[in-house]
Each structure stands twice: as C-alpha cells, then as structure tokens.
Amino acid sequence: MCGIVGYIGTRKAQDVLVNSLKRLEYRGYDSAGIATLDDENNPHLARSVGKIVELEHVLEPKPHTGHLGIGHTRWATHGGVTVNNAHPHNAGNVFLVHNGIIENYKELKAELKAYDFKSDTDTEVLAALIDSFYKDGTPLKDAVASALKKVRGTYGIAVFSPLEPGQIIVARLGSPLIIGLGDGEVIIASDASALLGYTREAIYLNDGELAVCTNKGAEVFNLNLKHINHTAETIEGDVDQIQKGGYDHFLLKEIMEQATTLHNTLSGRIDPKNGTMHLGGPNLTAKEIADIRHVVIVGCGTAYYAGLLASYYMEQLVPDLTTEVVIASEYRYRSFHLPKNSVALIVSQSGETADTLACLREIKKRGVKTLGIVNVVGSTIAREVDGGTYVHAGPEISVASTKAFTAQVVTMLMFAGMLAESHGGNPQLIHEFTNELAILPEEIEKTLKTHQETMHELAKKYAGFNDALYLGRDTAYPIALEGALKLKEVSYVHAEGYASGELKHGPIALVDETFFEVFNILDNWLFDKSIGGLHEVRARGGKAIVLTDSQREIDADDVIRINSPIKHLAPILLNTLQQLFAYYVAVEKGNDVDQPRNLAKSVTVE
Ligand code: F6R
C-alpha cells in the first residue's frame, strides 16, 4: 500500500525520490507525487494519477533542482484517485506525505475553519493541523508533535517546511518509517527496499516516535519531545534481489528462484543425517517446547493457506498437539479463548498486515506467547512478537505471493519437527520429513524447469475460460485454495478453491462445459476418493486438469505429472505448477502481472 520516501543530501532530490518510489511500486498504488525545496528554499510540488512514469512526464518540462524533498505513492482510502487527492499535501507552510488513516479527520477538519481544503483526504487535514500549530516561531518538530497528540488513527509521515529548510520531520504510529543514514545524506522510506543501494545503516522508528532528519543524521524524540537513544541497524538484502534479473516479471522471477530462496530458509536448520530440525529464533526453553499443547496459526490470504497446510503437517508429526488456523481479519474481533500452554504463530510475508498485527496484539493481551513467521526483516510484526523466525525468502516484489508461501510452509514445518522431537513424535516420520526438506530445493528446481513450458501451453488453452474450481483433499486442499487465489489475483478469472469432498455439497451445481477444474491429486490413501470427484466433474461436462505426483492411469483433459521421490511435501511441488499456470494465464490476458488491479502488497489498513 502507500509508500513514503524522503531525501536530504547532496544528490538531486528528484532523482532519489523518483528512483525510490519506483522501488515501492510493487506495494500497489494509484497515484504518486513529490515535493522538494530548491536551493533558494522555494517549494515545488508535482503529482499525478497512475504509474510513476506519469509523474516523470509531469516533471519532464520542469525538473526539480533541489536537494531536499519527500515523495509518496498513494493507494486511495479517503477520496477518489485524483491529482488533488495525491500526496504530498500542502497547507500553509507545511508539506506532508502520510501513510495510514486519521480516524478523527472529520472532527479535526471542522475545527480548522481557516483552511481552504482542496482534497477529500485525511492527510490534507493533518497538514493543516500541523500548520495550525506552526505559528509564532514554534519549531516544526514541536508543531508536528502537538498535532500528532490530537490525532486518532495510524500514521507514518514525513514533513518539511520552507521556513526551516535542511530538515525533514518524520513520525510513526502503526505504519513503518525507516531512516537510512548515508554519508552526508539521509534517505527516508516506509520500506527498506527503497534504501538499498544508498545505505545499509538505518534507524527503524518505533510507534510514538518522531525524528528530526538533516543531512548529518537523525535525532529521535517521543511526542513529549524527550530525546530517545536509537542505535542504527543493518539492512539486509541487495539491489540485485529487488531487480528482475532477466525475467519479464517479478512474479516469474520469484516463482523460478524458489529453489535458491528455500536454501536460505533451510540453511543451518535441518540435519538430514540425524533426521532432526531446529529453529533458533523461537527462543523457547526445552520445557516450554515440551509443554506446548495448542498452536494457533494466524494469517491472511496466502499466509493463512500456508498456515493451513502447515497445520496438517503439525498434526501428523506431533502426537499430542491441537492446531487451529485462523483468518486474522475474523479472529481479531472474535471472543476467542486460548487454552493454557498455547503458542501463536503469526504468519506474514510483509510483517505489516494490519489485521494480522491486530491479532498479534489481541493474543498478547491474553498472555499467550507469540512467535513470528515473517519474511521482512525489522517489520512491525517481527518487532512485536515474543520470538520467532524469519523465513528468509528475500524481497518479494510481485504483489502475488509465491516464494514466501513455500518458505512459510517449510519454516512452520521445521517448527513442527522441533515440537515432534520433544513430544515423542515418530522418529522415522520426522526423519522422512527432514530428508524430504533436504532435497526439496532441487526437486522444486526440477519441477519448475520440466514443466514451465507445459504450464505455459496449458495456460494458453484455458485463458479464455471465465470460471474455475480448484480441488484437493488432505494436504492438497490448502493448495487448492492457494491455487484459486493465485489465479484470481493475477488473471482476474473467477476461481474457487474447495475440498474435493465438498463438491457434492454444493459446488458441483456450477459444473458444466464453461468451467474448468484443477484437481490436485496426491498418490496416497485418498487417491481413489480423489479420482471419484474427478469422474463426477467429467460426467457433467467439466474440463479437468489434473496435477499429480501419481504415475497411475488418470482420465482427464490434461494430466501434469511430477516425478519425484518426495511424498509428504508433494503439495508444495504441485503448488509451484499452479503458480506457473496463474502467471501464464495473466500474461496471456495481457494483465499487469506484478501489480494486479485493486491489490496492494502490504495491506496496512483494515
Ligand atoms: C496473495 C497475497 C495476499 C497476502 C496477504 C497477507 O498472493 O499476497 O493474500 O498473502 O495479504 O500478506 P502478508 O503475508 O504480508 O501478511
């Protein structure tokens, strides 16, 4: 969702701001803008609707020359997608970019009668509120602090004024803000990927903090303007990781690089020789691990489906454990009770998802230990959990999540393996899982390479359909859900995921020759039952694609077989085929593959 950038230093601010905004494009946005101060301290504002390239067109005839500025990509919440609603906003002497939502903006607006508001946004109200305190020689920092004390809601902001050139004030509450410390320059961003290539040293602002940034560094305060000591941290990753590396789209790159990223997820965490798995991050004592009886897994979208698949594995591996997988947007408002000896796994690629974060806080209030299964290092969820482990999938730029899903499942599986050892799980089964994990990266690589072209051809064949059902049983069920989500997100084809056994409880009424069905069929004890569902669909004229690890005879329109020694983890391999399929259908339809319409990478509002 919305992105913030800011710059003070010796480079041309416009170049850094536009470049950094491009790095944030993946988060999803509908308009963009920058505001800068020139060397005579005159402010300049440029905004546009649409992609950053539109902003570049606006800037082309009149480039900004100054060395200080702020920029923003907006994802509309208050007010439509218009130039006037795009950030930065200006009121009096204040220029402001803002992520988040000011809940009491209407009350505040009613009080700010002296201002002639030009947009429908809550952000312009915040700019006016700051300006209303910015009088009679009050420093900008004090005016920002006074205004923020009156605000209800969430924010990450960057503010400057021509009256105090040479500084940008930033603050956060519930929306990330990172201050990159360079040599004679400071780069501000809401997402560390915008800082890569400029600096590796950064201050991650905490909620309720405000900082004064100059080209010499940053001083951090609380809203009572009490000084706070902050040590800089090192940002992980490099610029190569956030570039397409020769692929047409980030989505394809991220699908194809899963073997490599999975090596990072597994590194140092499995011991195939002894058949054991170990995660360092959870920070649990041996007794705490032995005492766990209940695991609740929380996530949204793909992260939820990853949790669902992991829960099947946990049940198989840990004999005395109850698992529960919940959708964060629901759970946060339920009157839930967690039994003693519960642990919560908080699953999030971005580590910023508002609903997941809210659940984390609700669970903590109930005194239950929370562990993060998070990808983005230093993200809010990673900071607020009691312990946890990074999934190390590397930057995921494409809005549709792929490699993070695989890394999340595998990380939770290793957590399950660790519990299993302590809870008297079957050592042979734990060993089997560990051995499969050890070869999973190369099996993913093989599957993707072998079937890339087949999935492309299949996508061409089915791209004209408007409706699809994705079906699976047991561990293939969560991936049926995930496969349907991936297809609808990037191709806009209506797709539903169902447990195969549910077909005759309703969805089979939909089936006719205009639908196609994707059956994920595992070669296990439920094979015959899965084939039963396939026959029911075929008998009603439905077109059937089968993705399977079985070499047995199967009668369907298209059968894609993986040939792998992997058994327990075969759903992960089948899912990579679904990822390729969704990607190529989207390409066939000419869609914006990496930034599908209406979607944002990091859903920081409810
Ligand atoms: C699907 C997708 C979303 C996210 C969901 C949670 O491709 O990307 O469904 O999985 O918004 O996001 P995170 O994992 O960042 O909490």
Side-chain angles (χ1 to χ4, degrees):
M1 277 182 167
C2 309
I4 286 179
V5 296
Y7 180 77
I8 324 175
T10 50
R11 305 179 207 229
K12 212 168 122 192
Q14 174 186 313
D15 296 345
V16 181
L17 295 174
V18 170
N19 185 33
S20 300
L21 286 178
K22 284 184 181 166
R23 300 265 188 83
L24 300 185
E25 281 194 291
Y26 77 95
R27 300 172 65 89
Y29 69 105
D30 44 48
S31 47
I34 63 167
T36 60
L37 269 187
D38 67 23
D39 293 341
E40 281 75 47
N41 301 327
N42 300 308
H44 298 269
L45 184 63
R47 298 179 294 184
S48 71
V49 163
K51 299 283 176 193
I52 307 289
V53 58
E54 302 302 332
L55 179 63
E56 290 181 298
H57 289 149
V58 173
L59 288 164
E60 222 165 64
K62 277 203 223 150
H64 292 198
T65 55
H67 302 96
L68 175 151
I70 55 180
H72 193 259
T73 46
R74 173 174 187 253
W75 195 84
T77 53
H78 292 87
V81 181
T82 64
V83 170
N84 271 358
N85 286 340
H87 303 207
H89 286 282
N90 165 231
N93 286 307
V94 167
F95 287 78
L96 167 74
V97 290
H98 163 227
N99 287 352
I101 291 180
I102 307 299
E103 288 166 8
N104 57 336
Y105 82 104
K106 283 197 180 138
E107 295 144 58
L108 295 170
K109 194 170 185 174
E111 288 170 20
L112 294 162
K113 295 201 169 52
Y115 293 86
D116 174 21
F117 290 98
K118 296 180 186 64
S119 77
D120 312 314
T121 65
D122 51 342
T123 302
E124 191 184 7
V125 175
L126 179 56
L129 184 64
I130 295 171
D131 189 67
S132 71
F133 284 101
Y134 192 36
K135 300 277 175 311
D136 310 322
T138 307
L140 182 59
K141 134 169 111 34
D142 298 39
V144 170
S146 303
L148 292 180
K149 283 184 183 171
K150 290 194 74 174
V151 154
R152 241 188 9 255
T154 55
Y155 53 80
I157 58 169
V159 189
F160 76 78
S161 164
L163 302 183
E164 289 176 76
Q167 65 170 37
I168 297 176
I169 312 292
V170 295
R172 81 160 267 180
L173 186 72
S175 193
L177 217 297
I178 307 163
I179 305 165
L181 306 172
D183 187 8
E185 60 183 0
V186 158
I187 306 110
I188 295 151
S190 52
D191 180 326
S193 61
L195 305 180
L196 294 177
Y198 292 111
T199 179
R200 286 193 165 277
E201 295 295 295
I203 292 175
Y204 286 77
L205 225 53
N206 292 319
D207 276 351
E209 291 179 348
L210 166 157
V212 179
C213 308
T214 67
N215 59 5
K216 297 194 176 54
E219 267 192 287
V220 184
F221 303 88
N222 65 19
L223 291 191
N224 294 323
L225 300 179
K226 196 165 163 279
H227 196 269
I228 293 171
N229 281 332
H230 246 284
T231 41
E233 297 176 35
T234 305
I235 304 168
E236 291 195 353
D238 55 45
V239 179
D240 286 352
Q241 287 179 308
I242 54 165
Q243 289 174 345
K244 285 188 196 145
Y247 288 97
D248 288 344
H249 299 100
F250 282 111
L251 184 54
L252 184 58
K253 174 187 175 237
E254 287 161 9
I255 294 169
M256 298 306 285
E257 74 187 6
Q258 287 180 94
T260 312
T261 57
L262 200 51
H263 272 299
N264 297 335
T265 308
L266 292 168
S267 174
R269 292 167 165 180
I270 54 169
D271 177 357
K273 198 158 147 253
N274 294 308
T276 56
M277 315 179 205
H278 181 75
L279 289 178
N283 253 342
L284 296 164
T285 63
K287 171 156 179 7
E288 281 171 326
I289 293 176
D291 285 347
I292 297 172
R293 288 291 173 278
H294 180 263
V295 172
V296 59
I297 306 178
V298 183
C300 297
T302 289
Y304 167 76
Y305 297 146
L308 197 57
L309 177 52
S311 75
Y312 279 76
Y313 291 139
M314 260 177 217
E315 285 169 359
Q316 289 174 22
L317 281 162
V318 195
D320 53 1
L321 190 75
T322 305
T323 60
E324 186 188 4
V325 192
V326 296
I327 295 173
S329 56
E330 284 295 313
Y331 201 58
R332 63 181 288 187
Y333 294 118
R334 273 167 55 185
S335 314
F336 65 85
H337 307 283
L338 288 166
K340 255 179 87 186
N341 300 329
S342 291
V343 155
L345 300 187
I346 313 294
V347 192
S348 176
Q349 187 287 128
S350 62
E352 302 294 348
T353 302
D355 285 319
T356 312
L357 181 59
C359 275
L360 158 64
R361 290 174 180 163
E362 285 300 321
I363 291 169
K364 280 180 90 167
K365 273 191 213 159
R366 286 154 170 90
V368 167
K369 192 145 193 168
T370 55
L371 305 178
I373 306 292
V374 172
N375 190 34
V376 175
V377 176
S379 56
T380 308
I381 291 175
R383 286 165 175 270
E384 291 199 14
V385 285
D386 300 307
T389 192
Y390 286 116
V391 304
H392 293 309
E396 196 179 60
I397 306 293
S398 183
V399 165
S401 189
T402 51
K403 61 177 181 171
F405 172 86
T406 306
Q408 286 161 348
V409 174
V410 163
T411 305
M412 285 184 270
L413 172 54
M414 291 189 287
F415 180 70
M418 207 168 89
L419 290 194
E421 277 164 43
S422 133
H423 287 232
N426 176 343
Q428 194 197 322
L429 188 64
I430 305 171
H431 211 138
E432 278 173 29
F433 269 96
T434 313
N435 285 344
E436 289 203 1
L437 280 177
I439 59 166
L440 186 61
E442 69 199 62
E443 290 301 311
I444 286 184
E445 179 94 4
K446 197 174 82 188
T447 305
L448 287 168
K449 285 211 170 116
T450 312
H451 294 291
Q452 184 178 4
E453 218 22 66
T454 323
M455 297 319 285
H456 192 173
E457 289 307 313
L458 205 62
K460 285 186 192 159
K461 183 168 167 189
Y462 289 93
F465 282 76
N466 292 323
D467 300 283
L469 281 179
Y470 278 66
L471 300 151
R473 271 178 188 273
D474 194 59
T475 50
Y477 165 52
I479 64 153
L481 297 176
E482 170 59 9
L485 177 65
K486 216 72 330 161
L487 186 72
K488 73 182 109 178
E489 273 183 298
V490 296
S491 74
Y492 316 145
V493 171
H494 165 232
E496 305 282 346
Y498 273 100
S500 304
E502 281 289 292
L503 251 184
K504 45 173 114 43
H505 298 290
I508 200 160
L510 294 168
V511 173
D512 62 18
E513 64 287 349
T514 67
F515 259 71
F516 74 92
E517 283 73 29
V518 178
F519 281 87
N520 283 285
I521 298 184
L522 297 171
D523 194 3
N524 61 16
W525 75 104
L526 290 169
F527 180 83
D528 290 335
K529 289 192 192 297
S530 302
I531 293 294
L534 173 64
H535 288 158
E536 285 162 15
V537 162
R538 302 261 294 151
R540 284 155 185 86
K543 298 263 171 291
I545 301 172
V546 172
L547 308 178
T548 184
D549 64 338
S550 176
Q551 309 310 318
R552 301 190 227 181
E553 199 178 313
I554 298 175
D555 187 19
D557 293 276
D558 292 280
V559 183
I560 315 299
R561 298 176 195 273
I562 52 169
N563 195 349
S564 168
I566 281 191
K567 285 290 150 222
H568 301 294
L569 306 185
I572 298 176
L573 295 179
L574 296 184
N575 188 50
T576 63
L577 299 179
Q578 298 187 135
Q579 293 171 344
L580 282 175
F581 181 68
Y583 169 72
Y584 282 117
V585 174
V587 169
E588 283 305 307
K589 300 189 87 165
N591 292 354
D592 188 347
V593 173
D594 286 329
Q595 290 157 36
R597 68 185 183 201
N598 307 339
L599 294 178
K601 182 67 183 162
S602 179
V603 186
T604 49
V605 294
E606 221 185 318

PDB file of all heavy atoms in Angstrom, residues 300-303 348-350 353 399-401 485-486 489, ligand 1:
ATOM      1  N   CYS A 300      -3.383 -13.963   6.869  1.00  0.00           N
ATOM      2  CA  CYS A 300      -4.374 -13.525   5.879  1.00  0.00           C
ATOM      3  C   CYS A 300      -3.965 -14.089   4.526  1.00  0.00           C
ATOM      4  O   CYS A 300      -2.775 -14.208   4.236  1.00  0.00           O
ATOM      5  CB  CYS A 300      -4.369 -12.005   5.727  1.00  0.00           C
ATOM      6  SG  CYS A 300      -4.835 -11.122   7.195  1.00  0.00           S
ATOM      7  N   GLY A 301      -4.941 -14.369   3.685  1.00  0.00           N
ATOM      8  CA  GLY A 301      -4.672 -14.742   2.293  1.00  0.00           C
ATOM      9  C   GLY A 301      -3.715 -15.917   2.191  1.00  0.00           C
ATOM     10  O   GLY A 301      -3.895 -16.969   2.828  1.00  0.00           O
ATOM     11  N   THR A 302      -2.678 -15.727   1.412  1.00  0.00           N
ATOM     12  CA  THR A 302      -1.708 -16.792   1.180  1.00  0.00           C
ATOM     13  C   THR A 302      -1.039 -17.235   2.477  1.00  0.00           C
ATOM     14  O   THR A 302      -0.764 -18.429   2.661  1.00  0.00           O
ATOM     15  CB  THR A 302      -0.668 -16.294   0.152  1.00  0.00           C
ATOM     16  OG1 THR A 302      -1.322 -16.220  -1.107  1.00  0.00           O
ATOM     17  CG2 THR A 302       0.520 -17.209   0.040  1.00  0.00           C
ATOM     18  N   ALA A 303      -0.790 -16.303   3.368  1.00  0.00           N
ATOM     19  CA  ALA A 303      -0.152 -16.662   4.646  1.00  0.00           C
ATOM     20  C   ALA A 303      -1.074 -17.591   5.437  1.00  0.00           C
ATOM     21  O   ALA A 303      -0.618 -18.529   6.113  1.00  0.00           O
ATOM     22  CB  ALA A 303       0.160 -15.398   5.444  1.00  0.00           C
ATOM     23  N   SER A 348       3.281 -13.806   8.337  1.00  0.00           N
ATOM     24  CA  SER A 348       3.122 -12.647   7.456  1.00  0.00           C
ATOM     25  C   SER A 348       4.384 -12.430   6.631  1.00  0.00           C
ATOM     26  O   SER A 348       5.473 -12.352   7.193  1.00  0.00           O
ATOM     27  CB  SER A 348       2.831 -11.401   8.297  1.00  0.00           C
ATOM     28  OG  SER A 348       2.758 -10.267   7.474  1.00  0.00           O
ATOM     29  N   GLN A 349       4.218 -12.334   5.337  1.00  0.00           N
ATOM     30  CA  GLN A 349       5.348 -12.014   4.463  1.00  0.00           C
ATOM     31  C   GLN A 349       5.860 -10.623   4.799  1.00  0.00           C
ATOM     32  O   GLN A 349       7.019 -10.435   5.118  1.00  0.00           O
ATOM     33  CB  GLN A 349       4.907 -12.110   2.996  1.00  0.00           C
ATOM     34  CG  GLN A 349       6.007 -11.978   1.956  1.00  0.00           C
ATOM     35  CD  GLN A 349       6.558 -10.583   1.783  1.00  0.00           C
ATOM     36  OE1 GLN A 349       7.774 -10.380   1.837  1.00  0.00           O
ATOM     37  NE2 GLN A 349       5.714  -9.600   1.622  1.00  0.00           N
ATOM     38  N   SER A 350       4.957  -9.639   4.719  1.00  0.00           N
ATOM     39  CA  SER A 350       5.365  -8.237   4.883  1.00  0.00           C
ATOM     40  C   SER A 350       5.688  -7.892   6.326  1.00  0.00           C
ATOM     41  O   SER A 350       6.472  -6.983   6.589  1.00  0.00           O
ATOM     42  CB  SER A 350       4.239  -7.318   4.412  1.00  0.00           C
ATOM     43  OG  SER A 350       3.089  -7.526   5.208  1.00  0.00           O
ATOM     44  N   THR A 353       0.881  -6.474   7.882  1.00  0.00           N
ATOM     45  CA  THR A 353      -0.555  -6.604   7.612  1.00  0.00           C
ATOM     46  C   THR A 353      -1.376  -6.195   8.840  1.00  0.00           C
ATOM     47  O   THR A 353      -1.215  -6.763   9.927  1.00  0.00           O
ATOM     48  CB  THR A 353      -0.859  -8.054   7.193  1.00  0.00           C
ATOM     49  OG1 THR A 353      -0.054  -8.328   6.050  1.00  0.00           O
ATOM     50  CG2 THR A 353      -2.315  -8.249   6.850  1.00  0.00           C
ATOM     51  N   VAL A 399       3.125  -8.510  -6.317  1.00  0.00           N
ATOM     52  CA  VAL A 399       2.057  -8.452  -5.311  1.00  0.00           C
ATOM     53  C   VAL A 399       1.597  -9.864  -4.926  1.00  0.00           C
ATOM     54  O   VAL A 399       1.364 -10.155  -3.755  1.00  0.00           O
ATOM     55  CB  VAL A 399       0.884  -7.583  -5.825  1.00  0.00           C
ATOM     56  CG1 VAL A 399      -0.362  -7.793  -4.984  1.00  0.00           C
ATOM     57  CG2 VAL A 399       1.292  -6.113  -5.817  1.00  0.00           C
ATOM     58  N   ALA A 400       1.469 -10.737  -5.906  1.00  0.00           N
ATOM     59  CA  ALA A 400       1.029 -12.101  -5.597  1.00  0.00           C
ATOM     60  C   ALA A 400       2.170 -12.866  -4.918  1.00  0.00           C
ATOM     61  O   ALA A 400       3.292 -12.915  -5.417  1.00  0.00           O
ATOM     62  CB  ALA A 400       0.613 -12.821  -6.868  1.00  0.00           C
ATOM     63  N   SER A 401       1.851 -13.464  -3.811  1.00  0.00           N
ATOM     64  CA  SER A 401       2.876 -14.132  -3.006  1.00  0.00           C
ATOM     65  C   SER A 401       3.129 -15.548  -3.513  1.00  0.00           C
ATOM     66  O   SER A 401       2.192 -16.321  -3.702  1.00  0.00           O
ATOM     67  CB  SER A 401       2.377 -14.170  -1.561  1.00  0.00           C
ATOM     68  OG  SER A 401       3.376 -14.613  -0.715  1.00  0.00           O
ATOM     69  N   LEU A 485      -6.668 -18.760  -5.375  1.00  0.00           N
ATOM     70  CA  LEU A 485      -6.365 -17.360  -5.023  1.00  0.00           C
ATOM     71  C   LEU A 485      -5.368 -16.778  -6.030  1.00  0.00           C
ATOM     72  O   LEU A 485      -5.533 -15.659  -6.525  1.00  0.00           O
ATOM     73  CB  LEU A 485      -5.800 -17.277  -3.598  1.00  0.00           C
ATOM     74  CG  LEU A 485      -5.376 -15.879  -3.138  1.00  0.00           C
ATOM     75  CD1 LEU A 485      -6.565 -14.935  -3.049  1.00  0.00           C
ATOM     76  CD2 LEU A 485      -4.679 -15.927  -1.787  1.00  0.00           C
ATOM     77  N   LYS A 486      -4.340 -17.567  -6.338  1.00  0.00           N
ATOM     78  CA  LYS A 486      -3.300 -17.056  -7.241  1.00  0.00           C
ATOM     79  C   LYS A 486      -3.906 -16.754  -8.603  1.00  0.00           C
ATOM     80  O   LYS A 486      -3.632 -15.726  -9.199  1.00  0.00           O
ATOM     81  CB  LYS A 486      -2.196 -18.126  -7.358  1.00  0.00           C
ATOM     82  CG  LYS A 486      -0.811 -17.662  -7.471  1.00  0.00           C
ATOM     83  CD  LYS A 486      -0.146 -17.069  -6.245  1.00  0.00           C
ATOM     84  CE  LYS A 486      -0.958 -16.368  -5.233  1.00  0.00           C
ATOM     85  NZ  LYS A 486      -0.422 -16.178  -3.931  1.00  0.00           N
ATOM     86  N   GLU A 489      -6.204 -13.587  -8.468  1.00  0.00           N
ATOM     87  CA  GLU A 489      -5.451 -12.345  -8.237  1.00  0.00           C
ATOM     88  C   GLU A 489      -4.807 -11.798  -9.500  1.00  0.00           C
ATOM     89  O   GLU A 489      -4.879 -10.612  -9.776  1.00  0.00           O
ATOM     90  CB  GLU A 489      -4.287 -12.632  -7.278  1.00  0.00           C
ATOM     91  CG  GLU A 489      -4.592 -12.531  -5.842  1.00  0.00           C
ATOM     92  CD  GLU A 489      -3.326 -12.771  -5.049  1.00  0.00           C
ATOM     93  OE1 GLU A 489      -2.748 -13.883  -5.144  1.00  0.00           O
ATOM     94  OE2 GLU A 489      -2.913 -11.867  -4.343  1.00  0.00           O
TER      95      GLU A 489
HETATM   96  C1  F6R B   1      -1.745 -13.398  -2.102  1.00  0.00           C
HETATM   97  C2  F6R B   1      -1.279 -12.357  -1.245  1.00  0.00           C
HETATM   98  C3  F6R B   1      -2.086 -11.963  -0.066  1.00  0.00           C
HETATM   99  C4  F6R B   1      -1.174 -11.950   1.167  1.00  0.00           C
HETATM  100  C5  F6R B   1      -1.935 -11.388   2.374  1.00  0.00           C
HETATM  101  C6  F6R B   1      -1.104 -11.428   3.633  1.00  0.00           C
HETATM  102  O1  F6R B   1      -0.891 -13.605  -3.177  1.00  0.00           O
HETATM  103  O2  F6R B   1      -0.245 -11.816  -1.475  1.00  0.00           O
HETATM  104  O3  F6R B   1      -3.168 -12.799   0.118  1.00  0.00           O
HETATM  105  O4  F6R B   1      -0.729 -13.243   1.403  1.00  0.00           O
HETATM  106  O5  F6R B   1      -2.314 -10.070   2.117  1.00  0.00           O
HETATM  107  O6  F6R B   1       0.050 -10.667   3.484  1.00  0.00           O
HETATM  108  P1  F6R B   1       1.275 -10.825   4.464  1.00  0.00           P
HETATM  109  O7  F6R B   1       1.822 -12.177   4.289  1.00  0.00           O
HETATM  110  O8  F6R B   1       2.231  -9.752   4.049  1.00  0.00           O
HETATM  111  O9  F6R B   1       0.749 -10.622   5.856  1.00  0.00           O
END
